[in-house]
Amino acid sequence: MVIVTDYSAINAVVKAEWFPSHIRALGVALPYAIANPLFSGTAELVALSFKNADHENYHFFYITFMIGLSLIIYFFMKDTQKYSMITDD
């Protein structure tokens, strides 16, 4: 959760540096629009599926896996200090 919290505080600036200004709105909005329903929207379904299978504790592993997946993605992101698109404005 600390990793996700740290990223959440600065995600707007990071995303702004990833994309040139002419596609910035799409570059920020599209991944957000896909990720939120996919992971947040299915969290209840996954939790209820685990509960129906008598494995309620597995939901915590699912959440931990998703946080770990985001950590792996963060490790492979380009360093925005060197590869910023904000200079193109």
Side-chain angles (χ1 to χ4, degrees), residues 14-66:
V14 171
K15 290 176 184 174
E17 291 182 341
W18 278 348
F19 301 100
S21 60
H22 65 281
I23 61 164
R24 190 166 294 149
L26 177 65
V28 173
L30 186 61
Y32 181 84
I34 292 171
N36 269 358
L38 187 62
F39 298 112
S40 302
T42 60
E44 184 178 352
L45 175 67
V46 171
L48 290 174
S49 298
F50 285 139
K51 184 176 181 177
N52 290 338
D54 292 327
H55 297 293
E56 291 182 46
N57 292 334
Y58 287 5
H59 184 66
F60 299 109
F61 294 113
Y62 170 74
I63 299 297
T64 304
F65 174 77
M66 290 302 165

Side-chain angles (χ1 to χ4, degrees), residues 10 25 29 31 35-36 44 47 50 56 72 77 81 83 87:
I10 61 167
N36 269 358
E44 184 178 352
F50 285 139
E56 291 182 46
I72 292 169
M77 288 181 355
Q81 186 175 7
Y83 301 103
T87 58

Side-chain angles (χ1 to χ4, degrees), residues 66-81:
M66 290 302 165
I67 292 171
L69 182 63
S70 69
L71 177 62
I72 292 169
I73 291 169
Y74 299 154
F75 279 133
F76 289 102
M77 288 181 355
K78 288 183 177 181
D79 181 7
T80 57
Q81 186 175 7

